[in-house]
Amino acid sequence: MYENERKQLIAKLSQSGIKDISVLKAMFNVERHLFVPEAMIQHAYKDVALPIGFGQTISQPFTVAFMSQALKIKAGAKVLEIGTGSGYQAAVLAKMGMKVYSIERQFDIYQMTLKLLDELQIRVFCKWGDGTIGWDEFAPYDAIIVTAGSPSVPAALQKQLQMGAKLVIPVGDKNSQTLKIITRIDESNFDVEESPDFSFVPLIGREGWKE
Ligand code: SAM
């Protein structure tokens, strides 16, 4: 279903600078309309963020593509996502062949998405909790992606990065953020690239915004 709509979306993403074929392929194969509430299905293949209930959103497709591409990972990589939300970003990474661990803070969303991913037989290791402290048990990760806006870079996430791996995280105020692409060079050195003008819901937790 909606194959033409997905084709058009992928063409648009490609024109907007998304060149990673594995990202484009995965986004063609993941049916975004299954990750949005029924009332939003008609908008599922527009390049916009959409409400998923509980005051949260599914990210804009361009943002999902841009962040997935920025991780610079190959199939088989172990990726930690903070902010499972609808499960769409996690599903795209899983379709790219990654081993995905994902943490969601809101219990209702966690439960709803766990059920959906299970029904769709998309393998993602989900956890309910505060992602600002990471998921130490399975660290280090080949990449970490944070899909909520943070006031600063949580130290725990930097610590849980493999050497050479990237952490992609929106940092700024509650309305607008700069996407930081942080590469771990060695034990204590990190390289940072920045891309401005993103807008995410807040990352709330011990090393994020306070409620
Ligand atoms: N990746 C999601 C998707 O594909 O639909 C989009 C996520 S939505 C923009 C951000 C999510 O981060 C929300 O579901 C929110 O509850 C969650 N969140 C906020 N703070 C968090 C935290 N400290 N740990 C884990 N999840 C958090």
Side-chain angles (χ1 to χ4, degrees):
M1 260 173 101
Y2 298 107
E3 211 176 297
N4 271 337
E5 285 81 352
R6 268 200 306 289
K7 264 191 195 148
Q8 281 166 23
L9 175 64
I10 300 311
K12 192 165 178 253
L13 293 174
S14 168
Q15 281 157 21
S16 314
I18 306 301
K19 299 293 170 217
D20 186 327
I21 299 295
S22 66
V23 172
L24 294 172
K25 259 193 186 164
M27 290 186 68
F28 177 69
N29 286 323
V30 178
E31 299 180 293
R32 191 172 186 250
H33 67 274
L34 301 178
F35 293 81
V36 301
E38 223 170 293
M40 290 293 145
I41 285 184
Q42 56 187 325
H43 305 295
Y45 295 103
K46 293 180 183 160
D47 192 19
V48 290
L50 295 169
I52 57 167
F54 312 100
Q56 301 301 334
T57 54
I58 177 172
S59 303
Q60 182 185 345
F62 176 76
T63 302
V64 171
F66 188 86
M67 292 176 90
S68 304
Q69 177 169 272
L71 295 173
K72 297 252 167 65
I73 38 176
K74 293 209 164 62
K78 188 175 22 160
V79 184
L80 175 65
E81 179 193 31
I82 312 303
T84 316
S86 69
Y88 179 70
Q89 171 75 75
V92 168
L93 292 169
K95 271 276 187 275
M96 287 169 68
M98 310 306 161
K99 187 168 187 190
V100 186
Y101 295 81
S102 186
I103 308 177
E104 172 55 50
R105 171 185 172 270
Q106 280 202 23
F107 190 64
D108 294 318
I109 296 183
Y110 160 76
Q111 275 195 314
M112 172 182 88
T113 301
L114 193 65
K115 186 165 170 275
L116 176 68
L117 291 169
D118 191 48
E119 279 166 9
L120 298 176
Q121 297 186 344
I122 297 172
R123 193 158 185 242
V124 174
F125 300 93
C126 293
K127 175 180 169 172
W128 171 53
D130 176 9
T132 66
I133 56 171
W135 196 343
D136 209 18
E137 199 181 339
F138 300 105
Y141 298 94
D142 300 315
I144 301 180
I145 176 170
V146 182
T147 65
S150 184
S152 58
V153 181
L157 298 184
Q158 286 187 304
K159 269 197 205 121
Q160 292 176 21
L161 271 186
Q162 183 77 264
M163 301 306 150
K166 292 188 194 301
L167 162 63
V168 176
I169 177 169
V171 177
D173 61 30
K174 282 192 176 165
N175 300 315
S176 151
Q177 303 91 30
T178 291
L179 198 67
K180 289 191 186 266
I181 302 166
I182 300 170
T183 308
R184 185 167 199 179
I185 306 295
D186 56 31
E187 195 55 39
S188 50
N189 289 298
F190 296 85
D191 178 60
V192 185
E193 284 169 68
E194 296 192 340
S195 200
D197 297 332
F198 284 84
S199 182
F200 285 82
V201 295
L203 181 76
I204 297 168
R206 205 163 87 189
E207 292 197 47
W209 294 101
K210 304 298 165 242
E211 250 178 306

